[in-house]
Amino acid sequence: MSALQSASSGRGRDSLAGRLTRTLILWVGGVWLLCVFAVVWYVDREINHNFDNELVEVSHRMFDMAVQELDKLQHKGAAVPSTPLVAPKQLFSEDAVMYQVVDIHEHVLLRSAEAPIDAFDVPLAAGFANNQTWRIYTVRHPTLGLYFQVADPLDERRRALNRTLFGLIIPLGAVLPLLALVLRNVARTELRVLQQLAGEIEKRSGTDLRPITLPGLPQELRSVGDHVNSLLERLAQSLDVERALAANAAHELRTPLAAARLRLQTALDHDLKRDDVQGALQALQMLSHRTEKLLQLSRAESGASLTRARVDLVQLAGTVAQEFWQDPLNSERLKLKVPDSVAPVAFGDVDALAIALRNLVENSLRYGGGGRVVIEVTTPCTLVVRDFGAGVSAAQLQTLQQRHVRHSSDRAGYGLGLSIVGTIVEKHNAKLELASPPAGAAQGFEARIVLRPA
């Protein structure tokens, strides 16, 4: 019991819905993280771009103001002071602009009161430059030999980027459990039809091989369902062949076996009289003949080993006729007629078609009243077997292809042999046409196998 529970739990853990959910979560989470990193990179780029634009705008706006402030703090024509002048403190110190004015000899002339001494520790050149803690923008006055430098702390940019990063990652972490739950429910819902299909397959057995009908199957599962139904159809056909063989054997072999046993028992009771031994041999011969017919019927119904190749019908009819001509009693009765033109060629199994033709000839020789039997090959692709015996009535003609049918007490009928022929013809997608009497004759029986030309 514990082994079954562990196996069941193992199947639950390794269910398709669970695997699909885990895969979707990993892929969705991974793609989401890649998107977050892409957004962070883009935001970092935009933040730096915006901060740089602000530095440029501030430098252009404040350069003249700084020059004017420098003029106020020093006398015109005076020597360059040994220490830089300090501008008055700005009104909002937390938003104060860090700047300084430098001449072409790199002497600091004016510095904002809030600017650290080492904030502008970069080479004096127009454009942007970074040190460890500051980003500096330097611009040269178009007419005066002065440079204006503005500094912006890098920490502000990092803090802005961190706020953006946390603003994206924290919602992701909060949404992932909800996303996992949604994906799990979606996977189970979408795979429910697969469970229904598995349940329907599980219901099928040797006694229930009905086709599986589940509406609304997706295309992939519809293909699986079609293949399963095709397999069930082949299994049903195989089981039907086996059951038919068992039923036919029970029906056809019971009488010959009983007759052989009775004859042999009578022979033993009467010291092996010749007539009884001869009767037993005839019963055994009938048993062998019917066994061969049953095996032919089973092979024809199963369709096993049926090949598809070009079959010369004239050669086929000649081979079958040669088999019967070996018996002197049939050499005078059996005639073969073939067309003078090119021999018709069909597409099928030569052995199966030979069995069908042989059964038709046997029936005509046995039930044709001792008269003439004709095998004829006609165009475009037809095999004809015709006898001129008593034939059958119109009502009996409708039941000839049914097995085990006996039309009178003294005749076994055409039943089993014609059933074999009908099955072989059906497997070849051909037609079996029966007529009694044949066209233009007063009496007799005719069977035509109409094949498709190769």
Side-chain angles (χ1 to χ4, degrees):
M1 185 67 178
S2 60
L4 291 176
Q5 291 176 349
S6 62
S8 177
S9 62
R11 288 194 300 268
R13 286 194 301 269
D14 197 34
S15 66
L16 182 58
R19 293 171 61 181
L20 184 59
T21 302
R22 289 193 298 270
T23 303
L24 286 175
I25 291 175
L26 289 176
W27 276 99
V28 171
V31 171
W32 198 335
L33 283 176
L34 288 177
C35 293
V36 167
F37 290 134
V39 169
V40 168
W41 171 83
Y42 178 76
V43 170
D44 178 53
R45 179 174 171 272
E46 291 298 313
I47 287 175
N48 286 318
H49 179 71
N50 292 335
F51 272 89
D52 289 345
N53 284 340
E54 289 181 3
L55 283 179
V56 173
E57 291 177 5
V58 168
S59 64
H60 291 170
R61 187 173 62 248
M62 295 188 65
F63 202 167
D64 288 340
M65 297 172 57
V67 171
Q68 294 173 7
E69 188 67 28
L70 179 62
D71 289 341
K72 292 179 182 179
L73 296 176
Q74 67 179 9
H75 298 288
K76 291 183 179 181
V80 176
S82 58
T83 60
L85 299 175
V86 179
K89 288 188 176 183
Q90 301 175 39
L91 181 61
F92 300 98
S93 58
E94 65 275 6
D95 296 327
V97 178
M98 313 297 178
Y99 68 89
Q100 68 178 14
V101 179
V102 185
D103 63 12
I104 58 176
H105 302 294
E106 299 188 6
H107 294 141
V108 180
L109 303 180
L110 178 66
R111 184 192 303 274
S112 63
E114 296 80 8
I117 297 176
D118 59 346
F120 300 94
D121 186 16
V122 295
L124 186 63
F128 289 98
N130 288 355
N131 58 25
Q132 292 183 351
T133 57
W134 299 88
R135 182 168 177 80
I136 298 96
Y137 178 69
T138 303
V139 62
R140 184 172 180 175
H141 199 281
T143 58
L144 304 175
L146 299 175
Y147 287 92
F148 186 79
Q149 293 181 309
V150 185
D152 186 40
L154 295 176
D155 287 342
E156 289 187 6
R157 304 181 182 218
R158 296 191 186 99
R159 285 195 297 270
L161 180 61
N162 289 337
R163 286 195 300 269
T164 303
L165 182 61
F166 285 118
L168 292 173
I169 291 180
I170 291 176
L172 173 63
V175 169
L176 272 180
L178 178 61
L179 178 64
L181 181 62
V182 171
L183 291 177
R184 176 172 174 268
N185 291 335
V186 169
R188 287 190 173 184
T189 302
E190 294 299 323
L191 293 177
R192 190 173 300 157
V193 65
L194 183 59
Q195 296 175 352
Q196 295 174 353
L197 179 61
E200 288 295 322
I201 294 175
E202 187 177 3
K203 292 178 183 178
R204 298 303 183 265
S205 63
T207 57
D208 183 8
L209 293 175
R210 292 175 293 108
I212 295 173
T213 55
L214 283 178
L217 284 177
Q219 182 177 357
E220 295 79 5
L221 292 184
R222 193 181 308 121
S223 176
V224 173
D226 292 340
H227 289 308
V228 170
N229 285 337
S230 177
L231 176 61
L232 291 175
E233 182 180 358
R234 292 195 296 271
L235 288 175
Q237 183 179 3
S238 298
L239 289 175
D240 289 342
V241 170
E242 291 183 4
R243 293 175 184 136
L245 178 60
N248 292 336
H251 184 280
E252 294 290 339
L253 304 183
R254 183 185 300 112
T255 300
L257 283 173
R261 186 170 57 249
L262 179 61
R263 290 283 187 174
L264 290 175
Q265 185 64 43
T266 304
L268 288 175
D269 293 341
H270 297 82
D271 297 329
L272 298 177
K273 288 186 176 180
R274 180 179 180 84
D275 292 342
D276 293 328
V277 174
Q278 187 67 31
L281 288 175
Q282 292 177 355
L284 290 175
Q285 185 177 2
M286 182 182 296
L287 176 63
S288 175
H289 181 266
R290 292 196 178 181
T291 302
E292 180 185 358
K293 295 297 181 185
L294 289 173
L295 293 177
Q296 291 177 359
L297 179 62
S298 177
R299 179 178 182 271
E301 288 181 335
S302 66
S305 304
L306 286 182
T307 60
R308 291 293 184 269
R310 296 171 62 87
V311 180
D312 186 329
L313 297 187
V314 172
Q315 183 178 359
L316 173 67
T319 301
V320 174
Q322 285 289 345
E323 295 179 10
F324 288 97
W325 284 337
Q326 293 177 5
D327 186 348
L329 297 177
N330 298 328
S331 59
E332 295 296 329
R333 294 182 57 195
L334 183 61
K335 304 298 180 182
L336 175 63
K337 296 175 63 177
V338 297
D340 297 331
S341 58
V342 178
V345 178
F347 196 69
D349 187 299
V350 62
D351 294 331
L353 292 176
I355 291 173
L357 183 60
R358 192 179 298 116
N359 274 278
L360 292 178
V361 175
E362 285 181 354
N363 283 341
S364 291
L365 289 173
R366 181 176 301 173
Y367 307 120
R372 182 166 54 96
V373 175
V374 178
I375 302 176
E376 185 177 2
V377 180
T378 64
T379 56
C381 209
T382 303
L383 292 171
V384 183
V385 177
R386 184 183 304 113
D387 67 66
F388 301 93
V392 297
S393 65
Q396 293 171 340
L397 192 65
Q398 303 299 322
T399 62
L400 277 183
Q401 295 185 53
Q402 298 179 10
R403 299 169 196 166
H404 321 306
V405 174
R406 296 181 183 274
H407 298 103
S408 65
S409 59
D410 59 340
R411 297 180 62 193
Y414 294 86
L416 190 57
L418 278 181
S419 178
I420 296 171
V421 175
T423 303
I424 292 174
V425 169
E426 180 183 357
K427 295 298 180 181
H428 282 77
N429 295 322
K431 290 192 301 182
L432 176 62
E433 300 176 353
L434 305 179
S436 183
Q443 63 180 16
F445 181 82
E446 178 182 273
R448 305 172 67 90
I449 300 176
V450 182
L451 297 163
R452 296 182 178 182

